[in-house]
Amino acid sequence: MNLSFFVPGVVLLGIVIFVHELGHFLVAKWRGVRVLRFSLGFGPPLVRFTRGETEYRISWVPLGGYVQMAGDSPAEDGSMPGGPDEFLSHPWYGRLLIAVAGPMANLITAFVVMVVACMIGVKSPDYDTVSEFVPDTSAAYQAGLRSGDRIVAIGDTPVTRWSEIETEIGKRGEQEPIRLAVDRDGAVQTLELPPQLRTRTLGSMFGTTIPPVVGGVVTGMPAYKAGLKEGDRILTIDGQPIEVWSDLLRALRGRVDQRVAVTVERGGQRFDLTVTPINPEGRRGSTDARIGIEPQNQGSYLLGRYPPLEAIRLGAGATVAMVANVYGGMWLTISRPIYYREYLGGPIFIAQAASESARRGFDSYLQFLALINVAIMAFNLLPIPVLDGGHILLALLQAVRGQAISARAYVRFQKVGLVFIGTLFVLILANDPLRWVQRQRALDKAPQGGPVAPSPP
């Protein structure tokens, strides 16, 4: 794991932290609250300089940042600050605006990033048009397609990728039959799919074109901890042969939280490992089992580059969906902490995921950047002392009561928050190395190469 592996994660975290603290900083300045320090990172300063009343610094521990304001804690004698330019003596609505500004800066950044992603174009995986394996029970087989067939044209239009097939089909009406030109053993044959069969037939064939070879492993998911690697070929699931990627999906269906035996071929050797699929959405009784792998990308194509107004509409929708997904994930972590705590991640986890998204392309990296911004926003809005949500809660409480809480109550409130956040921070930080150690142990158990073992009779 070289230094360049962490660069996408460091850049991503730097952007997220900067915009969050910048939100607090700008609104505090606007409200007339003195800002003593603006820091990216914690601990001793790596770089620092002073402009006006504020010291700006980049610190050694890149696990967050902070804006230190005058009067943001009670005095040593237990009294509350009283100056008009001090945070705790500021009107409740001013403190509310300052506290909300950080999370809102992250939300705005996520929206802008998604708009940019829509304007430059989002890539989708693309695949060859050869059907590796067509079961004789499939709709594709009944329509005349066979294993090894390559679709070379839709109507009179030549095609070489699945994206081109989808584009050509999209140009035709729902009641219009689809004429396929198929190359079978060097001879071109023509097949015609009636309207009632075309979607089901091509959909079933699409799943047979993708070999069961791992193209990527999602950090923290069951396959990651079990030791699956990019390039592994899945041979069997609980003894059931896996010919194509769709076989893998069918074999895992209904196996949520059940241990599954997987036979893998890697580096010329076959070996077995065990993986326990989960349902990431947390739906109890769901049959949608996932282990966190994706097929090999045989290419990609742009879903579309959109003009600014359309990109704004799509970016807003994508941002709203991210907010819903993040809060849904937080609820799962709270409602099923034993089950989902292993999927919490800290800086190492984010660095790994950022590196993976950067490897997929700039569009994927932008989407991950937006997601982390939304996650930081959602976490900081929790009504927990020390977090922005805690300050928002105190401001609203003052608005209802007509007076602020006492200095003693404020200190106790903050101590509770420090204990909670400190405990959570330790658990999250511990998860990262433990997850990595678990994966390394799984990888060490696997064969490192050699001849392929003979298949059992």
Side-chain angles (χ1 to χ4, degrees):
M1 192 179 294
N2 55 38
L3 186 61
S4 63
F5 176 86
F6 293 98
V7 171
V10 171
V11 172
L12 183 142
L13 283 175
I15 294 172
V16 172
I17 295 167
F18 176 74
V19 298
H20 181 92
E21 301 305 335
L22 183 64
H24 291 313
F25 174 83
L26 292 177
V27 176
K29 288 282 192 180
W30 170 60
R31 292 296 309 171
V33 175
R34 279 187 297 124
V35 178
L36 305 179
R37 180 177 295 161
F38 184 108
S39 178
L40 297 180
F42 299 107
L46 175 63
V47 177
R48 64 177 170 182
F49 60 92
T50 301
R51 291 290 184 272
E53 64 190 16
T54 307
E55 178 192 63
Y56 302 87
R57 60 163 63 181
I58 299 176
S59 301
W60 278 101
V61 185
L63 300 181
Y66 62 94
V67 170
Q68 182 182 357
M69 288 170 264
D72 59 3
S73 60
E76 292 183 2
D77 61 2
S79 62
M80 294 292 276
D85 60 350
E86 296 180 302
F87 179 72
L88 288 180
S89 59
H90 209 59
W92 69 266
Y93 52 85
R95 300 202 314 276
L96 178 68
L97 290 173
I98 294 171
V100 167
M104 288 304 100
N106 288 123
L107 181 61
I108 293 170
T109 301
F111 166 66
V112 171
V113 167
M114 289 309 301
V115 171
V116 171
C118 291
M119 291 178 67
I120 67 174
V122 176
K123 293 179 181 177
S124 178
D126 204 357
Y127 301 96
D128 198 358
T129 63
V130 175
S131 55
E132 290 203 351
F133 177 68
V134 180
D136 56 12
T137 57
S138 67
Y141 187 94
Q142 295 171 17
L145 289 163
R146 297 294 181 265
S147 299
D149 282 356
R150 176 187 293 275
I151 299 177
V152 295
I154 301 293
D156 296 325
T157 306
V159 293
T160 58
R161 312 294 298 174
W162 269 103
S163 57
E164 297 170 353
I165 293 177
E166 292 175 347
T167 299
E168 288 303 312
I169 291 175
K171 295 177 180 178
R172 290 160 170 77
E174 293 184 0
Q175 299 305 313
E176 182 180 347
I178 299 296
R179 182 163 50 88
L180 306 177
V182 174
D183 185 334
R184 182 179 301 166
D185 299 326
V188 176
Q189 303 185 22
T190 300
L191 302 175
E192 186 170 289
L193 306 183
Q196 65 270 23
L197 277 182
R198 69 181 204 175
T199 301
R200 188 162 59 94
T201 300
L202 290 174
S204 65
M205 182 182 170
F206 178 77
T208 70
T209 67
I210 310 172
V213 178
V214 178
V217 181
V218 180
T219 301
M221 288 289 281
Y224 176 87
K225 293 184 288 186
L228 278 167
K229 294 174 61 176
E230 183 176 340
D232 287 350
R233 188 178 189 97
I234 310 297
L235 301 178
T236 67
I237 299 288
D238 277 347
Q240 178 182 341
I242 304 299
E243 301 282 351
V244 289
W245 192 263
S246 56
D247 290 342
L248 171 64
L249 302 179
R250 281 191 291 269
L252 292 176
R253 187 172 297 127
R255 304 301 300 275
V256 176
D257 297 337
Q258 301 177 28
R259 291 168 65 87
V260 174
V262 182
T263 302
V264 177
E265 182 180 311
R266 175 189 300 165
Q269 286 199 348
R270 292 189 177 102
F271 61 96
D272 296 321
L273 53 82
T274 302
V275 63
T276 304
I278 67 167
N279 174 246
E281 288 77 27
R283 297 193 298 270
R284 297 180 185 274
S286 173
T287 61
D288 185 15
R290 308 282 182 85
I291 62 174
I293 58 175
E294 56 189 29
Q296 283 186 322
N297 189 350
Q298 300 175 358
S300 61
Y301 68 102
L302 283 175
L303 292 177
R305 290 190 176 99
Y306 299 95
L309 290 180
E310 182 69 7
I312 290 172
R313 185 185 68 81
L314 293 173
T319 305
V320 170
M322 281 186 181
V323 172
N325 288 336
V326 166
Y327 274 110
M330 291 174 66
W331 170 246
L332 290 175
T333 305
I334 295 170
S335 61
R336 302 183 67 186
I338 303 300
Y339 188 76
Y340 283 98
R341 66 177 177 82
E342 296 185 16
Y343 303 99
L344 292 174
I348 297 177
F349 176 88
I350 293 175
Q352 289 176 306
S355 181
E356 290 173 4
S357 63
R359 180 175 56 85
R360 293 189 186 100
F362 186 57
D363 61 312
S364 178
Y365 185 74
L366 286 178
Q367 293 177 73
F368 187 67
L369 172 60
L371 177 63
I372 296 300
N373 269 286
V374 169
I376 293 298
M377 176 214 71
F379 179 73
N380 274 279
L381 285 178
L382 293 175
I384 298 172
V386 181
L387 297 180
D388 298 327
H391 290 293
I392 293 170
L393 178 63
L394 290 179
L396 293 175
L397 183 62
Q398 180 180 346
V400 173
R401 296 175 69 238
Q403 63 179 8
I405 63 174
S406 67
R408 180 177 296 179
Y410 182 85
V411 170
R412 289 176 177 172
F413 187 74
Q414 294 298 90
K415 284 181 178 179
V416 171
L418 285 171
V419 171
F420 180 85
I421 294 299
T423 303
L424 182 62
F425 197 62
V426 169
L427 288 174
I428 290 176
L429 286 181
N431 254 356
D432 283 354
L434 288 176
R435 187 185 295 113
W436 183 82
V437 168
Q438 185 176 5
R439 176 166 174 79
Q440 293 307 308
R441 287 178 176 173
L443 292 174
D444 290 342
K445 291 179 182 179
Q448 302 302 311
V452 176
S455 300

